[in-house]
Amino acid sequence: MSAETAVAQGATSLDLAGPIPGGGEVRLTVEHLTMRFGGLVAIDDVSFQAADGRITAIIGPNGAGKTTVFNCLTGFYKPTVGRLALHHPKGEFLLERIEGFRTAQDAGVARTFQNIRLFPRMTVLENLIVAQHNKLMRASGYTVFGLLGLKRYREAEEKAVELARYWLDRTLLTKAADQEAGNLPYGDQRRLEVARAMCTEPVLLCLDEPAAGLNPRESQLLNQLLMFIRDEHKMGILLIEHDMSVVMGISDHIVVLDYGRKISDGTPEQVRSDPAVIRAYLGEDEDEEPVGETAAGQESAAREGDERDA
Amino acid sequence: MAAKTSASPAGRPFDRQAMLKEAGATGLVIFALAFGLLGFRTLDVPGGIDIQYRFGDVAAAVAIGIVGRIALILLRERRPLPVLLTAPPLAVVLLVVLLSKFLFGPETGAELMRFLPFESLVVMWAILIVIVVLGLRAARVHTHMTSVMTAEERDARMDRIGAKVQRAARLLGPLLLGIAVVFPFLPFADRRLLDIGILVVTYIMLGWGLNIVVGLAGLLDLGYVAFYAVGAYSFALLATGLDVSFWVALPFAGLMAATAGVLLGFPVLRLRGDYLAIVTLGFGEMIRIILLNWYEFTNGPDGISGIPRPSFFGLALFKRNVADGHAFHELFGLEFTPIHRIIFLFYLILALALVVNIFTMRIRKLPVGRAWEALREDETACRSLGINPRNTKLTAFGIGAMFGGFAGSFFATRQGFISPESFTFIESAVILAIVVLGGFGSQIGVVIAAILLIGLPEFFRELQQYRMLAFGMAMVLIMIWRPAGLLAHREPTIRLFGKGRAKEAEP
């Protein structure tokens, strides 16, 4: 156990010094991120980097702390320890110091949610217009010009609709634009949430299990959308995902968490063959037992592995 | 499921015993209620109080309950024939008895009326209406075998009706506005009707103001009357203390109310739903109690009297003889009547209400308005999109309160006298009821609900004692059938296709 940890931590510091697995310019640097809830350590000293124009997947068994990392990044939680540096064209933002909603407003970090959070009684188009709130708010002179019906605001709104239209076309939702978002099929709602996040014009997109509950066809559509965002918009995407076909299919860089610690970090090929990852997912095997651990340690580790599988 | 039962109505097992049991239970409940409520009545007699026993009425109530329940069960079980056969003759007999005074002369009428239970004829008329409705439903079941719609069918149908009314609202809105504009000049518009009109429009304005907070931003506010009070007192104190005219004081009163709204907003930002409702309820009471106890400033329970009437835009006064300046009737060369002032007040409140309406219509299509609605739908998602929930909520509270304040100033200048008694919780409840009944966020719904809740009861003042009963009944029925309100149809603020339609949603 202790030997493993040492190896993992060693790997961490090495990674941050060298280039990012999968290549690309650094967009986000997470250093020594720790999040405690009372006595519970949800994330324990996790460090990794995410690149621009690449898809970085965060994977791990249930309860590994993936969503907590996201909540720290997007301002929903304040991390106990750690530095979350976003390398933005406007300069560097320290995400841990920014007030919740400003993470999206100023730093340009957009996110989606594990359980879809659309505005169900508003139409699809309205969902995308609301996402451009701050831009439109300025254009409407904080409502004053808008109330007077000035041209400046109307033009801004038309531009906002154009942007919405662009993402509607990309997510194949154009026809449903005037429908209530809550009435869309599940897969469409997932894609709409991605489109809505993109309408905030972010520099980093965080997707929390976007493929959860999708059928293979919908999953395929989503993959295409994410690759389009990565390739055409050169956007960094941070992705939490359980569906291995999605993860292995589209990600350039994978970070594996288990019990709040990082256990592996590398390209999909590296991670796939990493014994620590296999142990975390499949439980410990008799043949692969690491040398130097006590029998009791093995037993408990194996039991934990079984429980996780169940 | 519905298709299956309608296909084999007779094939379905029918449990007579269960039916009797259910009807018996109904009878017991009614007995328990009626025994205390109906069975005894205290009478003032010379030398004290006497008790009148009305066990006949109790028996009648129980019997009516049991029979009605059986009829309902039969309809539910799709066996309409017994109901269909008994309802019409019963209705005819009851109608004949009720009208016997006119049909056979007063003496025979009185004789026949004695057979009826209950003293009040209103109750008998209500029972007659119920019998007719049951008969009609039985006829429907008999012909269609599908009278009982499922909840979804009914919801879908009501939604369609809501959408239709909303579409009609584009015509209905201008139509109602037209009626309102010519209303003071209609031949039957006397002082009493105008007063009712002013009252209704005041509540429409309050409803529209509250609709911003409750309907759009989704913040359940049970203390809206506080802002109404702040507006009224701001104006009253300014006008009586500093001699400020209505037109100068109006914006100030709105500002004061908006400030109160923002002050309330700050501590409740973190609260949602029920908790928010409780705090706003407390805030409403706080304002009233401050007004009641701060004697030096607000004159306490004595209230403020001698609040000046509004002038005709500062140009003329509505008085017979004006020492300095002009009188309205002289300015326009008319004969003096006190109704001029009432008509002016009516137009004043109409204009104020329209300002609120146009403002709401416009702001719904602006980023703030959309953010309010988004906040109502999902606050977490709003934060993730970079919307500042604090400021957005505060603007909703502030603007809603400001309109409440305007309405309050109007109330003060119309009444000429205000006291804390005018701003009790029941006012908040009525305004909220208007919004809920009309349908959250629906502008025309508020108008209809205000007419139903404020206008109709004023007309039927003779039935005073049944007013609250009908009010409560209406609310219960709405909550069962239409929990989102009468016209809860939401018109999108922007459309990708057919944008022309979005522009026409003005009042």
Side-chain angles (χ1 to χ4, degrees):
Chain A
M1 185 80 186
S2 58
E4 267 177 60
T5 313
V7 169
Q9 277 172 351
T12 302
S13 42
L14 266 181
D15 279 347
L16 286 185
I20 309 176
E25 287 281 305
V26 179
R27 173 60 84 196
L28 174 77
T29 309
V30 174
E31 284 175 287
H32 305 292
L33 175 63
T34 302
M35 183 80 210
R36 292 195 199 97
F37 297 103
L40 179 82
V41 183
I43 313 172
D44 189 3
D45 198 26
V46 168
S47 303
F48 66 92
Q49 286 188 314
D52 214 16
R54 297 285 186 279
I55 296 179
T56 307
I58 302 178
I59 63 169
N62 284 334
K66 302 176 303 267
T67 301
T68 311
V69 171
F70 261 40
N71 283 339
C72 289
L73 282 174
T74 50
F76 282 84
Y77 292 159
K78 287 260 170 285
T80 321
V81 181
R83 186 163 170 276
L84 311 168
L86 182 80
H87 311 288
H88 192 280
K90 282 191 280 183
E92 196 176 75
F93 284 95
L94 293 177
L95 296 180
E96 76 274 14
R97 293 192 191 161
I98 301 181
E99 194 187 347
F101 66 90
R102 291 198 187 277
T103 315
Q105 191 179 335
D106 300 336
V109 177
R111 74 169 292 180
T112 67
F113 294 87
Q114 200 168 344
N115 22 21
I116 303 175
R117 283 183 175 275
L118 291 170
F119 306 123
R121 281 174 56 209
M122 301 175 82
T123 68
V124 170
L125 181 64
E126 281 174 317
N127 268 272
L128 299 184
I129 300 286
V130 168
Q132 304 174 51
H133 176 77
N134 293 305
K135 191 172 68 183
L136 287 173
M137 203 62 185
R138 278 191 296 277
S140 73
Y142 298 90
T143 313
V144 180
F145 298 158
L147 275 180
L148 301 174
L150 291 196
K151 204 170 147 205
R152 187 178 139 200
Y153 171 67
R154 266 180 289 143
E155 281 171 2
E157 196 183 59
E158 271 164 34
K159 271 198 193 128
V161 172
E162 263 170 46
L163 180 66
R165 175 81 198 236
Y166 174 82
W167 284 109
L168 284 174
D169 289 342
R170 293 303 166 286
T171 48
L172 311 177
L173 289 170
T174 316
K175 273 195 186 135
D178 293 334
Q179 276 181 31
E180 279 185 14
N183 291 343
L184 292 183
Y186 190 78
D188 291 357
Q189 292 196 14
R190 281 274 178 213
R191 285 204 309 283
L192 176 59
E193 217 190 0
V194 175
R196 190 180 66 180
M198 286 308 296
C199 275
T200 64
E201 297 171 272
V203 297
L204 179 69
L205 181 64
C206 303
L207 305 174
D208 196 345
E209 296 197 27
L214 298 189
N215 64 33
R217 206 188 71 84
E218 289 169 336
S219 195
Q220 193 55 41
L221 280 176
L222 184 81
N223 281 2
Q224 283 165 8
L225 176 65
L226 296 188
M227 287 195 286
F228 170 80
I229 291 172
R230 175 188 64 185
D231 299 334
E232 299 297 316
H233 288 265
K234 305 287 177 228
M235 173 120 20
I237 299 178
L238 213 54
L239 177 78
I240 293 179
E241 194 46 77
H242 275 301
D243 187 335
M244 280 304 143
S245 68
V246 175
V247 172
M248 293 301 168
I250 64 171
S251 43
D252 305 291
H253 170 197
I254 297 180
V255 176
V256 191
L257 299 183
D258 191 19
Y259 287 114
R261 288 167 175 278
K262 185 168 90 169
I263 55 169
S264 183
D265 189 338
T267 61
E269 291 73 32
Q270 289 167 351
V271 166
R272 202 190 314 229
S273 53
D274 189 332
V277 178
I278 297 169
R279 253 201 312 282
Y281 270 89
L282 302 176
E284 219 142 345
D285 222 11
E286 288 293 318
D287 314 335
E288 281 185 83
E289 73 187 58
V291 194
E293 273 197 69
T294 62
Q298 279 172 36
E299 259 176 39
S300 70
R303 204 170 48 241
E304 278 165 21
D306 290 342
E307 279 167 13
R308 245 174 279 142
D309 287 343
Chain B
M1 198 191 95
K4 196 178 143 203
T5 44
S6 59
S8 57
R12 220 169 120 180
F14 181 61
D15 192 347
R16 196 170 301 245
Q17 221 165 1
M19 176 180 85
L20 290 178
K21 218 184 259 177
E22 210 178 320
T26 310
L28 265 180
V29 170
I30 292 179
F31 178 75
L33 285 174
F35 186 73
L37 295 176
L38 270 179
F40 308 96
R41 186 183 187 193
T42 52
L43 289 176
D44 279 324
V45 292
I49 281 177
D50 200 9
I51 293 179
Q52 181 194 4
Y53 300 97
R54 302 191 291 188
F55 296 128
D57 284 1
V58 177
V62 172
I64 290 170
I66 290 176
V67 171
R69 185 81 209 190
I70 288 176
L72 280 178
I73 296 169
L74 286 173
L75 288 184
R76 193 182 64 203
E77 300 293 328
R78 292 168 204 287
R79 287 166 183 273
L81 221 49
V83 184
L84 200 56
L85 291 180
T86 45
L90 247 178
V92 170
V93 168
L94 192 54
L95 189 67
V96 168
V97 173
L98 280 171
L99 295 178
S100 56
K101 224 191 304 183
F102 308 105
L103 293 175
F104 316 116
E107 276 147 47
T108 345
E111 198 69 15
L112 276 171
M113 289 282 211
R114 284 213 340 220
F115 287 104
L116 293 178
F118 312 124
E119 263 169 60
S120 158
L121 284 181
V122 179
V123 176
M124 291 320 294
W125 281 105
I127 290 173
L128 176 64
I129 290 170
V130 171
I131 293 175
V132 170
V133 169
L134 280 175
L136 288 175
R137 275 190 63 178
R140 252 189 78 97
V141 177
H142 189 68
T143 49
H144 291 83
M145 281 298 166
T146 57
S147 106
V148 196
M149 283 188 287
T150 61
E152 295 88 60
E153 276 173 337
R154 197 174 54 216
D155 279 356
R157 202 168 99 174
M158 291 297 273
D159 260 350
R160 276 201 301 279
I161 294 173
K164 248 181 225 160
V165 174
Q166 206 82 20
R167 238 171 288 137
R170 283 204 302 265
L171 299 174
L172 194 66
L175 187 73
L176 282 174
L177 181 62
I179 293 174
V181 168
V182 298
F183 174 67
F185 300 110
L186 295 178
F188 55 83
D190 54 0
R191 164 112 202 212
R192 176 170 162 266
L193 267 182
L194 272 172
D195 274 337
I196 294 177
I198 290 173
L199 194 68
V200 170
V201 181
T202 311
Y203 276 94
I204 290 175
M205 175 170 176
L206 285 168
W208 278 340
L210 185 62
N211 212 355
I212 293 176
V213 185
V214 178
L216 291 183
L219 304 162
L220 187 53
D221 186 350
L222 287 181
Y224 192 63
V225 78
F227 310 123
Y228 191 42
V230 169
Y233 268 85
S234 301
F235 171 66
L237 289 170
L238 279 174
T240 55
L242 300 175
D243 216 14
V244 180
S245 85
F246 176 76
W247 297 101
V248 179
L250 185 70
F252 188 78
L255 200 68
M256 285 297 287
T259 312
V262 173
L263 278 181
L264 163 69
F266 261 112
V268 303
L269 278 171
R270 288 165 179 280
L271 305 176
R272 294 183 198 188
D274 312 351
Y275 305 102
L276 177 71
I278 293 166
V279 175
T280 53
L281 175 75
F283 185 79
E285 284 301 285
M286 266 164 58
I287 294 279
R288 190 176 66 84
I289 286 168
I290 288 173
L291 294 177
L292 205 55
N293 289 294
W294 195 359
Y295 195 85
E296 304 77 47
F297 189 58
T298 65
N299 228 8
D302 302 341
I304 299 173
S305 55
I307 302 166
R309 309 292 192 184
S311 61
F312 185 71
F313 302 108
L315 296 175
L317 297 171
F318 294 96
K319 281 184 185 166
R320 191 185 295 274
N321 298 308
V322 183
D324 49 340
H326 303 279
F328 177 78
H329 61 286
E330 284 169 1
L331 196 68
F332 288 87
L334 298 166
E335 195 70 14
F336 174 81
T337 73
I339 204 113
H340 282 155
R341 190 172 61 81
I342 310 293
I343 292 176
F344 178 68
L345 282 174
F346 180 78
Y347 280 129
L348 179 58
I349 188 66
L350 190 65
L352 283 173
L354 283 177
V355 166
V356 181
N357 185 37
I358 291 167
F359 181 88
T360 312
M361 289 290 191
R362 292 208 84 131
I363 209 160
R364 261 196 79 206
K365 296 178 184 169
L366 289 177
V368 194
R370 294 204 187 101
W372 286 340
E373 290 199 73
L375 210 59
R376 174 192 71 200
E377 300 285 300
D378 196 323
E379 192 175 327
T380 309
C382 277
R383 276 156 49 105
S384 84
L385 297 174
I387 295 172
N388 185 336
R390 186 185 57 213
N391 292 357
T392 312
K393 275 186 191 175
L394 285 182
T395 50
F397 264 120
I399 289 172
M402 181 179 75
F403 289 135
F406 286 158
S409 311
F410 174 81
F411 177 77
T413 191
R414 180 178 96 106
Q415 298 289 93
F417 166 77
I418 52 169
S419 75
E421 265 170 55
S422 310
F423 308 106
T424 49
F425 169 68
I426 192 75
E427 292 297 315
S428 287
V430 167
I431 303 166
L432 187 66
I434 287 173
V435 175
V436 173
L437 194 76
F440 290 112
S442 166
Q443 298 292 93
I444 201 83
V446 167
V447 176
I448 293 170
I451 292 171
L452 286 178
L453 284 187
I454 307 296
L456 283 186
E458 287 297 320
F459 276 110
F460 296 105
R461 272 207 172 269
E462 303 80 53
L463 309 177
Q464 184 104 32
Q465 47 184 328
Y466 299 99
R467 250 171 29 157
M468 287 320 272
L469 192 70
F471 184 88
M473 192 111 95
M475 288 308 273
V476 169
L477 290 180
I478 291 281
M479 285 301 107
I480 292 172
W481 283 329
R482 223 37 208 147
L486 282 176
L487 300 176
H489 176 78
R490 182 181 174 278
E491 192 67 18
T493 59
I494 191 167
R495 284 173 183 279
L496 193 58
F497 307 111
K499 262 193 206 157
R501 294 181 55 196
K503 280 183 192 154
E504 293 169 33
E506 298 288 326

